[in-house]
Amino acid sequence: MTTAPTTAPKVQNPNYSEAFQSGVREEMKRNPGIFILGTDLIERGGHFAQVKGIAQEFGHERVKDSPISEAAMVAAGVGAAMYGCHPIVDLNFIDFAFGAMDEILNQAAKIRFMFNGKVPLVIRATSGVALGGAHHCNSLESLFASTPGLSVAVPSTPMDVKGLIKTALRAEDPVIFLMHKKLSGIRGEIADENYFIPFGKAKSIRTGTDAVIISYGYSLVTAQKAAQTLEAEGVSVEIIDLRTLYPLDEQAINDAVKKFGRVVVLDEAPMFGSITAEIAATATERNFSSLKGPIVRVGGARAPISANPAMADAAIPTVASIIKAVKQVMSY
Amino acid sequence: MTTAPTTAPKVQNPNYSEAFQSGVREEMKRNPGIFILGTDLIERGGHFAQVKGIAQEFGHERVKDSPISEAAMVAAGVGAAMYGCHPIVDLNFIDFAFGAMDEILNQAAKIRFMFNGKVPLVIRATSGVALGGAHHCNSLESLFASTPGLSVAVPSTPMDVKGLIKTALRAEDPVIFLMHKKLSGIRGEIADENYFIPFGKAKSIRTGTDAVIISYGYSLVTAQKAAQTLEAEGVSVEIIDLRTLYPLDEQAINDAVKKFGRVVVLDEAPMFGSITAEIAATATERNFSSLKGPIVRVGGARAPISANPAMADAAIPTVASIIKAVKQVMSY
Amino acid sequence: MTIPDKKTSLGLLRQMMVIRDFEETADKLSLRGKVSGGMHNSSGQEAVAVGVLSALAPLDVIATTHRSHHHTLAKGFTSREIMAELFTRSTGISGGRGASMHLGDVTKGHFGGNGIVGAGVGIAMGAALGIQQKGDKKVSVGFIGDGGMNTGRTWEAVNMAVIWKLPLIVVVDNNQYAVETFVGRVTGGGDLAKRAEGFGMKAFNIDGMDVLEVRKYVSEARERALAGEGPSFINALTYRYYGHNVGEKGQYRTQEEIDTWKSTKDPIDHFTAVVIENGYADQAAIDEMRASVRAEIEDAVAFADASPEPDISTIYDDIDSGKLGVQL
Amino acid sequence: MTIPDKKTSLGLLRQMMVIRDFEETADKLSLRGKVSGGMHNSSGQEAVAVGVLSALAPLDVIATTHRSHHHTLAKGFTSREIMAELFTRSTGISGGRGASMHLGDVTKGHFGGNGIVGAGVGIAMGAALGIQQKGDKKVSVGFIGDGGMNTGRTWEAVNMAVIWKLPLIVVVDNNQYAVETFVGRVTGGGDLAKRAEGFGMKAFNIDGMDVLEVRKYVSEARERALAGEGPSFINALTYRYYGHNVGEKGQYRTQEEIDTWKSTKDPIDHFTAVVIENGYADQAAIDEMRASVRAEIEDAVAFADASPEPDISTIYDDIDSGKLGVQL
Ligand SMILES: Cc1ncc(C[n+]2csc(CCOP(=O)(O)OP(=O)(O)O)c2C)c(N)n1
Ligand SMILES: Cc1ncc(C[n+]2csc(CCOP(=O)(O)OP(=O)(O)O)c2C)c(N)n1
Ligand SMILES: [Mg+2]
Ligand SMILES: [Mg+2]
């Protein structure tokens, strides 16, 4: 269970990146083994200002500007983590993880199992479909979540960003920490330094009575819009934010399926092979008799993402496509 | 539909690697733009002798021994394919693709869409769980199949190896061609030079009346054993070999679900997030009312693969686990 | 440096002016929201692009980086089709799918700008292998930034080109910064030609602000490549006048540094002086050239602005050929 | 080369003998099916392993390659726990999960053998960063083969170590072949120290058949690293007597080449002569040493053979800590 904030937030209405800074700062104060490495972290504090000011506060030994060497960046994090530090490797965009796949999937994920070692490592990156074209809009959530040894956080609010990064920095596992481009601007409350969000605990972010949408990340914003429209039409939709993709909150998923029997699973990754397949398949296998009809998946097109804004939008779920899916499950 | 062999096979009872050689040789004779690059291809013909003798027959310009530079190997293939050749990049083990992920997933897969170009490229590798330890036993089928722009072949017989590689070498797309380690020893008929197997056409490799197992690759061998045991117990199981994972033969899957209503989907990848999730989720969504109960997935453990043989075996589906799944669907 | 004939020289100058005007115009349009997803301005680096491309044949291949307007213009694509691409219109070089960072047309030997540091050099190396396989008399040029010098696969590609003697020219468009990171701070050893020589590649550190110097080294590299003597590495020192991406400034370099490069090394000013000195043009001719360039860019903007948006239903086109499933 | 004291010298010699006997014994056992998944025999390369590890402190870190029995033995792990690992028994260094290719125990400064060419150097570089962050007086050694010299990330790691002045020593266990591929055929430039120098790393090409030379260069590199002077690169030329993997032969090198290396450069023969020459031992003492080594390896085999198989239910253990889900 998530713990309620114990005191008022210190940063007034911070944005998504400031929430990250806040969590990282608190943990860096407490644990001298935490350091950050990535490109362009010192002056601008990273492309999304996610570590802005931290180099100035903690010094250049604890915020290290790296060359464009993703394999070495992750390897540096892996080796230092094995040695007893708790590095945060900031990959900037998650797409750049392609240059460090062996380090992440074959090394970091397996060392605990193979070599009697811990790998307390956070790999942070900005993810999600937005402008910028195909090379910067890969959805890799399913890849990471399906790799034994990795955990994956996909926070959708400043509160969750802070609560999850703090948990990641107290644990001893390699964590992929994905922050969605299109959530950069959102603001909200954050909790104080004693608030930790456990991995594997989903959260209901909208209560409803007729059907449930299970999702995460930016798709929740679209889902909320769809739910509002549906509300006006008399359909009451619950929305569940998974918050982490591994571990998955199976309990919350099973409960929701049992309660509603009408289930939509949503994300923006190309649908074929996305994490929504895992969620739908397992939820169906476990709760078949509770389903009023098949779980409906809503996902992205099987297409690279175009730079043209309208084409980019057309490749991911829209309010309309979500409404259609909900109506589909309501038709059972 | 697959075409029946038009003449008798030329190689008598070839093995899996010889079937590959046969298909490649025929296409190389026909198309001077086909060449092969990879490590240790000339003397030994690759670690599985998959191109043995081809350098000697076609010369060192068409079979190029490469340094251990997976990124450059794939990039070489991509650039040469864009230029108008049809390279076969032999990655040896598919795990080494980790070193070329950007080249495969971000470049090769997207160039047609982005830059008005064709990428007629085959990336061949040996895949699957076997001995050799965790670094060499990654199951990446779902990753490749879920990437827009890539196609994935997973042949299980010499006949299919030859028929599919020939199709791949006549097409103009990047194809991931996965040959399972534990199938290296199998032998069987192959067809003549006019036999091509289209991608996206599954094949029933065992007929049955009670339930169906949908699978591919080495898992089919285990499935056959399970089916034999079940037969003795009075349960008649059909087995479908998908042969390619993208495109998937949706028609064959839908037909099987409709016909049997009792469906097991099987592979050896760690189950969470595997391609069996996609198959089960989509098949359920499309054919819910035909199902007598939920599709049951059988897959690997969420664990790195151990070098110890018994531990390695325990991490993937066994005859017993398949029988259990079939009995589960028979209980509906 | 011997100067080419008048027509060629004026062509080089005009091409550099086109790039500069294009970039400064696009920059302003981008700030006004016309360019989707930002743009990487190459102002200051014109001599590299024009020097390289003027030394190539039209059918030679290039593959480049996220900062590629200048290379693409110099390769002979029109201001119209590139401006339209920045506006993500259907008339753009990449049909609006690419915007600033992903300019390319494989069928015309442009193997793409690239969102990924280091990717272009690998693809160019592959194209060089294709050229060699087919026995064609062409070369392939891979552009890369100083930031890409620390990306491992760059050196895999360099090594492969050396051992296979591929007709590849690696050109480092070395503007000395990767976003806010000074090349000297993250680049061990410092001497990039020496790095490349360590892999056995013929390598040169040259002045990337001098279009004739760039042109000369690339011409020679091309000759060697066509003669079967293998690849070359050309590290062209240059400078980026604007921020990394449009609208960015940052404290990572001084205004004084920027001003010094602009006032003492500007490639257009420098080559304008050379052209005048050689009697190829007087100030009036230069002014006229600049005006015609202005008109060309204005026209490009108008063209882009008037161009239709792509049909969004086409996002499902060109993912794959669909032919794998067809009986052959 | 000044020779160390008697005890040290005899220790070096005995350690090399242990490795040779271990490898030749394991090779035979592997051919008899006792070793699961093959093994990479390091016979011939003993001087590299022993020279390096004898120059390190026990708590220094190493990370290595698929060919790592020799490094692991020289680091001080027992023949028993390594032989047991080859037999994939629960008493093995990796609990039977790793076999020949994946020997490691992070808690003891062995950051793993590796199935992936190039991976070990990156991890060692990271360990060096960890050492620097903690301000410890240690170094980290990353072993790599000649084949790994063409893997891009090797050079990313080299560069990062240089710019951050990490206490890293890269040791190339250069046996001149990657499987069947001669280093000279795929390695542009040829001079590996020069490659590393191109990245600003202090670099040396040395004789990897001479245990004292290896030891000397590594000692000096260690001193420099501890003094904050940054990393070093040591390319140790050596030779692999057996096939790449057990049972392999191949036509890629001549028997004459193998025989020449064995008869003129063998590290054990060579150092035995040095030891005798220095009066540290006579032939009888050497024979006795060899016999005691034999007994040790026999014991290791017996131990491995008698060791229990791992409990297969443990495949679900140690995947992750399980603590992320726990309230902190
Ligand atoms: C592999 C990878 N890592 C990081 C980035 C983010 N990024 C985009 S451009 C850039 C700087 C590149 O610098 P340089 O190579 O010098 O080119 P320039 O921008 O100066 O033209 C970075 C870090 C990227 N696109 N790709
Ligand atoms: C990234 C990667 N590519 C290919 C391989 C397959 N492979 C295993 S060992 C080896 C040769 C390595 O040669 P070298 O680095 O010289 O080490 P040696 O075997 O000589 O000790 C190759 C190609 C691998 N393990 N990892
Ligand atoms: Mg730059
Ligand atoms: Mg070697």
Side-chain angles (χ1 to χ4, degrees):
Chain A
M1 277 303 305
T2 62
T3 314
T6 54
T7 68
K10 283 185 197 151
V11 187
Q12 293 303 319
N13 207 29
N15 68 22
Y16 200 58
S17 290
E18 288 162 352
F20 185 80
Q21 290 168 26
S22 171
V24 169
R25 274 206 173 83
E26 287 170 13
E27 295 303 308
M28 282 181 78
K29 275 190 194 125
R30 185 176 169 276
N31 177 359
I34 298 174
F35 67 93
I36 315 173
L37 68 87
T39 52
D40 304 303
L41 300 181
I42 292 173
E43 303 273 352
R44 62 162 65 184
H47 273 62
F48 290 81
Q50 66 274 12
V51 298
K52 201 171 172 75
I54 298 185
Q56 289 67 27
E57 186 177 339
F58 291 87
H60 289 201
E61 285 312 312
R62 295 188 68 190
V63 182
K64 295 183 82 75
D65 260 358
S66 160
I68 306 171
S69 308
E70 280 77 13
M73 286 160 68
V74 176
V78 172
M82 292 167 82
Y83 189 76
C85 299
H86 201 143
I88 301 173
V89 176
D90 193 309
L91 284 181
N92 194 356
F93 290 96
I94 194 60
D95 315 82
F96 309 153
F98 283 143
M101 279 297 171
D102 187 70
E103 288 72 12
I104 300 172
L105 304 180
N106 224 8
Q107 309 293 334
K110 293 174 181 159
I111 284 161
R112 186 183 188 91
F113 185 80
M114 295 176 74
F115 299 127
N116 193 24
K118 295 172 192 163
V119 186
L121 170 68
V122 172
I123 297 177
R124 192 215 76 88
T126 301
S127 67
V129 175
L131 291 184
H135 289 158
H136 283 67
C137 289
N138 293 282
S139 295
L140 301 181
E141 291 82 353
S142 181
L143 172 62
F144 294 123
S146 65
T147 300
L150 298 182
S151 297
V152 181
V154 285
S156 72
T157 66
M159 180 70 82
D160 291 350
V161 166
K162 182 170 175 185
L164 287 167
I165 190 62
K166 283 178 65 84
T167 300
L169 289 171
R170 293 279 177 104
E172 54 189 49
D173 296 294
V175 169
I176 311 293
F177 201 89
L178 299 176
M179 294 171 68
H180 199 291
K181 296 182 187 81
K182 290 202 289 196
L183 294 172
S184 307
I186 58 155
R187 296 188 169 272
E189 240 194 354
I190 55 173
D192 78 0
E193 64 186 30
N194 298 311
Y195 182 65
F196 297 83
I197 299 177
F199 279 50
K201 288 288 172 196
K203 196 171 99 182
S204 169
I205 60 165
R206 185 181 205 280
T207 53
T209 52
D210 298 326
V212 64
I213 299 174
I214 299 172
S215 190
Y216 63 92
Y218 180 76
S219 297
L220 295 164
V221 174
T222 322
Q224 288 276 19
K225 287 183 198 151
Q228 277 155 30
T229 306
L230 286 160
E231 188 80 64
E233 298 180 23
V235 182
S236 167
V237 177
E238 176 118 355
I239 302 177
I240 290 177
D241 179 357
L242 291 167
R243 305 204 289 188
T244 63
L245 297 180
Y246 195 89
L248 258 188
D249 191 345
E250 293 181 25
Q251 178 82 51
I253 295 169
N254 291 339
D255 289 351
V257 177
K258 290 208 172 75
K259 180 168 169 198
F260 295 98
R262 304 176 195 278
V263 183
V264 171
V265 191
L266 162 72
D267 79 354
E268 64 184 19
M271 193 152 74
F272 188 104
S274 75
I275 190 89
T276 63
E278 172 58 36
I279 297 166
T282 297
T284 302
E285 197 171 330
R286 303 252 165 95
N287 309 284
F288 193 73
S289 61
S290 304
L291 284 169
K292 303 210 162 59
I295 293 176
V296 171
R297 290 163 66 202
V298 184
R302 188 174 174 93
I305 302 301
S306 298
N308 178 277
M311 289 172 89
D313 282 348
I316 59 169
T318 58
V319 171
S321 62
I322 297 169
I323 289 174
K324 188 172 160 226
V326 172
K327 288 189 173 164
Q328 170 71 27
V329 299
M330 289 308 298
S331 75
Y332 302 151
Chain B
M1 275 306 303
T2 61
T3 314
T6 54
T7 68
K10 283 186 199 153
V11 187
Q12 292 305 320
N13 205 30
N15 68 23
Y16 201 57
S17 291
E18 288 162 351
F20 185 79
Q21 292 167 23
S22 169
V24 169
R25 274 205 173 85
E26 286 171 13
E27 294 303 310
M28 282 179 79
K29 274 190 197 126
R30 185 177 169 276
N31 178 357
I34 299 174
F35 66 94
I36 315 172
L37 68 87
T39 53
D40 304 303
L41 300 181
I42 293 174
E43 302 275 352
R44 62 162 68 184
H47 273 61
F48 290 81
Q50 66 273 14
V51 297
K52 200 170 174 74
I54 298 186
Q56 288 69 25
E57 184 175 340
F58 291 88
H60 288 202
E61 285 312 311
R62 294 186 70 190
V63 182
K64 295 183 81 75
D65 259 358
S66 160
I68 306 171
S69 307
E70 280 78 11
M73 285 160 66
V74 176
V78 172
M82 292 167 82
Y83 189 76
C85 299
H86 202 143
I88 301 173
V89 176
D90 193 308
L91 284 181
N92 193 355
F93 290 96
I94 194 60
D95 314 82
F96 309 153
F98 283 143
M101 279 297 174
D102 187 70
E103 287 73 11
I104 301 172
L105 305 179
N106 224 9
Q107 309 294 335
K110 293 174 181 158
I111 283 161
R112 185 181 188 92
F113 185 81
M114 294 175 76
F115 300 128
N116 193 26
K118 295 173 193 163
V119 186
L121 170 67
V122 172
I123 297 178
R124 192 216 74 90
T126 301
S127 68
V129 174
L131 291 184
H135 289 157
H136 283 67
C137 289
N138 293 282
S139 294
L140 301 180
E141 291 83 353
S142 181
L143 172 63
F144 294 123
S146 65
T147 299
L150 298 183
S151 297
V152 182
V154 284
S156 71
T157 65
M159 179 71 82
D160 291 351
V161 165
K162 181 170 176 185
L164 288 166
I165 189 63
K166 283 178 65 83
T167 300
L169 288 171
R170 291 281 176 105
E172 54 188 49
D173 297 293
V175 169
I176 312 293
F177 201 90
L178 299 176
M179 294 171 68
H180 199 291
K181 296 181 187 81
K182 291 202 289 197
L183 294 172
S184 308
I186 58 156
R187 296 189 168 271
E189 237 193 356
I190 55 174
D192 78 0
E193 63 186 32
N194 298 312
Y195 182 65
F196 297 84
I197 299 177
F199 279 50
K201 289 286 172 197
K203 195 172 100 183
S204 170
I205 60 165
R206 184 181 208 280
T207 53
T209 53
D210 298 325
V212 63
I213 299 174
I214 299 172
S215 190
Y216 63 93
Y218 180 76
S219 297
L220 296 165
V221 174
T222 324
Q224 289 276 21
K225 287 183 198 153
Q228 276 154 30
T229 307
L230 285 160
E231 188 81 61
E233 298 180 22
V235 182
S236 165
V237 178
E238 174 117 356
I239 301 176
I240 290 177
D241 179 356
L242 292 167
R243 305 203 289 187
T244 64
L245 297 179
Y246 194 89
L248 258 187
D249 190 343
E250 293 181 24
Q251 179 82 51
I253 294 170
N254 291 339
D255 289 351
V257 177
K258 290 209 173 76
K259 178 168 171 199
F260 295 98
R262 305 176 194 278
V263 183
V264 171
V265 190
L266 161 73
D267 80 354
E268 63 183 19
M271 193 153 71
F272 188 104
S274 74
I275 190 88
T276 63
E278 172 58 36
I279 297 166
T282 297
T284 302
E285 198 171 329
R286 304 251 166 95
N287 310 286
F288 193 73
S289 61
S290 304
L291 284 169
K292 303 209 162 57
I295 293 176
V296 171
R297 291 163 66 203
V298 184
R302 189 175 173 93
I305 302 301
S306 298
N308 178 276
M311 289 172 90
D313 282 346
I316 60 169
T318 56
V319 171
S321 63
I322 298 169
I323 290 175
K324 189 169 159 229
V326 172
K327 288 190 173 165
Q328 170 70 26
V329 300
M330 289 309 297
S331 75
Y332 303 150
Chain C
M1 204 66 60
T2 42
I3 186 167
D5 63 39
K6 178 171 169 183
K7 182 157 170 256
T8 307
S9 294
L10 293 179
L12 299 177
L13 181 60
R14 187 174 192 284
Q15 186 62 72
M16 291 201 286
M17 285 184 182
V18 165
I19 294 169
R20 179 70 56 86
D21 196 331
F22 183 98
E23 295 293 61
E24 301 203 318
T25 303
D27 203 280
K28 287 184 207 108
L29 291 166
S30 186
L31 289 172
R32 277 166 39 204
K34 283 285 195 182
V35 176
S36 144
M39 62 157 269
H40 301 115
N41 189 324
S42 72
S43 292
Q45 305 177 211
E46 295 84 358
V48 180
V50 176
V52 171
L53 272 301
S54 76
L56 301 186
L59 290 179
D60 286 338
V61 174
I62 68 165
T64 164
T65 70
H66 58 286
R67 190 180 311 281
S68 74
H69 307 165
H70 55 327
H71 307 141
T72 309
L73 285 162
K75 171 113 179 109
F77 291 91
T78 65
S79 307
R80 280 185 164 203
E81 60 197 325
I82 305 174
M83 192 64 81
E85 188 57 43
L86 267 58
F87 283 44
T88 61
R89 299 302 166 90
S90 63
T91 51
I93 176 174
S94 309
R97 290 172 175 177
S100 161
M101 199 154 53
H102 310 105
L103 310 174
D105 185 342
V106 175
T107 61
K108 294 181 182 150
H110 189 321
F111 280 21
N114 214 297
I116 302 300
V117 169
V121 163
I123 289 172
M125 182 272 292
L129 175 59
I131 292 168
Q132 186 184 65
Q133 285 285 330
K134 298 221 170 215
D136 290 345
K137 285 284 163 213
K138 292 198 231 168
V139 303
S140 171
V141 171
F143 286 101
I144 188 161
D146 48 286
M149 291 291 97
N150 299 315
T151 303
R153 56 199 192 164
T154 303
W155 301 106
E156 290 192 6
V158 161
N159 182 61
M160 199 170 267
V162 169
I163 60 168
W164 291 346
K165 286 196 173 244
L166 301 180
L168 174 72
I169 307 173
V170 175
V171 175
V172 189
D173 209 338
N174 184 350
N175 61 17
Q176 307 176 59
Y177 290 90
V179 190
E180 309 197 341
T181 303
F182 178 57
V183 57
R185 188 148 61 88
V186 291
T187 312
D191 182 336
L192 293 176
K194 199 177 155 207
R195 269 199 190 184
E197 279 164 6
F199 290 83
M201 200 178 272
K202 224 171 166 65
F204 308 90
N205 294 318
I206 70 166
D207 181 358
M209 301 304 264
D210 180 347
V211 67
L212 296 187
E213 175 156 330
V214 176
R215 184 176 148 93
K216 171 175 168 288
Y217 277 91
V218 175
S219 298
E220 290 168 5
R222 186 170 191 276
E223 288 309 313
R224 282 194 301 275
L226 294 182
E229 292 166 30
S232 302
F233 178 98
I234 294 173
N235 171 35
L237 195 70
T238 180
Y239 201 77
R240 143 167 79 69
Y241 290 171
Y242 286 74
H244 168 71
N245 200 342
V246 68
E248 295 179 358
K249 247 186 140 342
Q251 302 299 310
Y252 58 94
R253 54 183 186 175
T254 61
Q255 190 57 46
E256 196 195 329
E257 178 182 300
I258 302 173
D259 291 343
T260 305
W261 277 86
K262 279 189 181 173
S263 61
T264 64
K265 296 281 289 173
D266 185 77
I268 299 177
D269 287 354
H270 171 252
F271 194 59
T272 302
V274 170
V275 158
I276 292 176
E277 206 168 287
N278 265 271
Y280 286 170
D282 56 14
Q283 191 56 47
I286 299 290
D287 292 346
E288 199 180 305
M289 183 183 282
R290 206 177 296 270
S292 96
V293 165
R294 191 79 277 282
E296 176 182 329
I297 303 300
E298 286 289 301
D299 166 73
V301 174
F303 172 82
D305 232 351
S307 289
E309 291 281 338
D311 173 356
I312 64 169
S313 74
T314 59
I315 64 167
Y316 296 96
D317 296 345
D318 310 316
I319 315 294
D320 49 48
S321 70
K323 291 184 191 159
L324 279 164
V326 173
Q327 195 60 41
L328 295 152
Chain D
M1 203 66 61
T2 42
I3 185 166
D5 62 40
K6 178 171 169 183
K7 181 155 171 259
T8 307
S9 294
L10 294 179
L12 298 177
L13 181 59
R14 186 174 193 285
Q15 185 65 71
M16 291 200 288
M17 286 185 184
V18 166
I19 294 170
R20 179 70 56 87
D21 197 332
F22 183 98
E23 295 293 61
E24 301 203 319
T25 304
D27 204 280
K28 285 185 209 111
L29 291 166
S30 186
L31 290 171
R32 277 166 37 204
K34 283 284 193 180
V35 176
S36 141
M39 62 158 270
H40 300 115
N41 189 325
S42 72
S43 293
Q45 305 179 212
E46 296 84 357
V48 180
V50 175
V52 171
L53 271 301
S54 76
L56 301 186
L59 291 179
D60 286 339
V61 174
I62 67 165
T64 163
T65 70
H66 58 287
R67 190 179 310 282
S68 75
H69 306 163
H70 54 327
H71 307 141
T72 308
L73 285 162
K75 171 118 180 103
F77 291 91
T78 64
S79 306
R80 282 185 162 203
E81 60 196 326
I82 306 173
M83 192 64 80
E85 188 57 43
L86 267 58
F87 283 46
T88 62
R89 300 301 166 91
S90 63
T91 51
I93 177 175
S94 307
R97 290 172 175 178
S100 161
M101 199 155 50
H102 308 105
L103 309 175
D105 184 344
V106 175
T107 62
K108 294 181 183 151
H110 189 321
F111 280 23
N114 214 298
I116 302 300
V117 169
V121 163
I123 288 173
M125 182 273 291
L129 175 58
I131 292 168
Q132 186 185 65
Q133 285 285 329
K134 298 221 171 214
D136 290 345
K137 286 283 163 214
K138 292 197 232 169
V139 302
S140 171
V141 171
F143 287 100
I144 189 162
D146 48 286
M149 292 292 97
N150 299 315
T151 302
R153 56 199 194 164
T154 302
W155 302 105
E156 290 193 5
V158 161
N159 182 60
M160 199 170 266
V162 168
I163 59 168
W164 291 346
K165 286 195 172 246
L166 302 181
L168 174 71
I169 306 173
V170 176
V171 175
V172 188
D173 209 337
N174 184 350
N175 60 18
Q176 308 176 60
Y177 291 90
V179 190
E180 308 197 342
T181 304
F182 177 57
V183 59
R185 189 149 58 91
V186 290
T187 312
D191 181 337
L192 293 176
K194 196 175 158 208
R195 268 200 190 185
E197 278 164 6
F199 290 83
M201 199 178 273
K202 225 174 166 63
F204 308 90
N205 294 319
I206 70 167
D207 180 358
M209 301 304 264
D210 179 348
V211 67
L212 295 187
E213 175 156 329
V214 176
R215 184 176 148 94
K216 170 174 169 288
Y217 277 91
V218 175
S219 298
E220 289 168 5
R222 186 170 191 275
E223 288 309 315
R224 283 194 300 276
L226 293 181
E229 291 167 29
S232 301
F233 178 98
I234 294 172
N235 171 35
L237 194 70
T238 180
Y239 201 77
R240 145 166 81 66
Y241 290 172
Y242 286 73
H244 169 70
N245 201 342
V246 69
E248 295 179 357
K249 247 186 139 350
Q251 302 300 312
Y252 58 93
R253 54 181 187 176
T254 59
Q255 189 58 44
E256 195 194 330
E257 178 182 301
I258 303 173
D259 291 342
T260 305
W261 277 87
K262 279 190 182 173
S263 61
T264 65
K265 297 281 289 173
D266 184 77
I268 299 177
D269 287 353
H270 171 252
F271 194 57
T272 302
V274 171
V275 159
I276 292 176
E277 204 168 288
N278 265 269
Y280 286 171
D282 55 14
Q283 190 57 46
I286 299 289
D287 291 347
E288 198 180 304
M289 183 183 281
R290 208 178 293 271
S292 96
V293 166
R294 191 81 277 280
E296 176 182 328
I297 303 299
E298 286 288 303
D299 166 74
V301 174
F303 172 82
D305 232 351
S307 290
E309 290 281 338
D311 172 355
I312 63 168
S313 74
T314 60
I315 64 166
Y316 295 97
D317 296 344
D318 310 315
I319 316 292
D320 50 47
S321 70
K323 290 183 190 160
L324 279 164
V326 173
Q327 194 61 41
L328 296 152

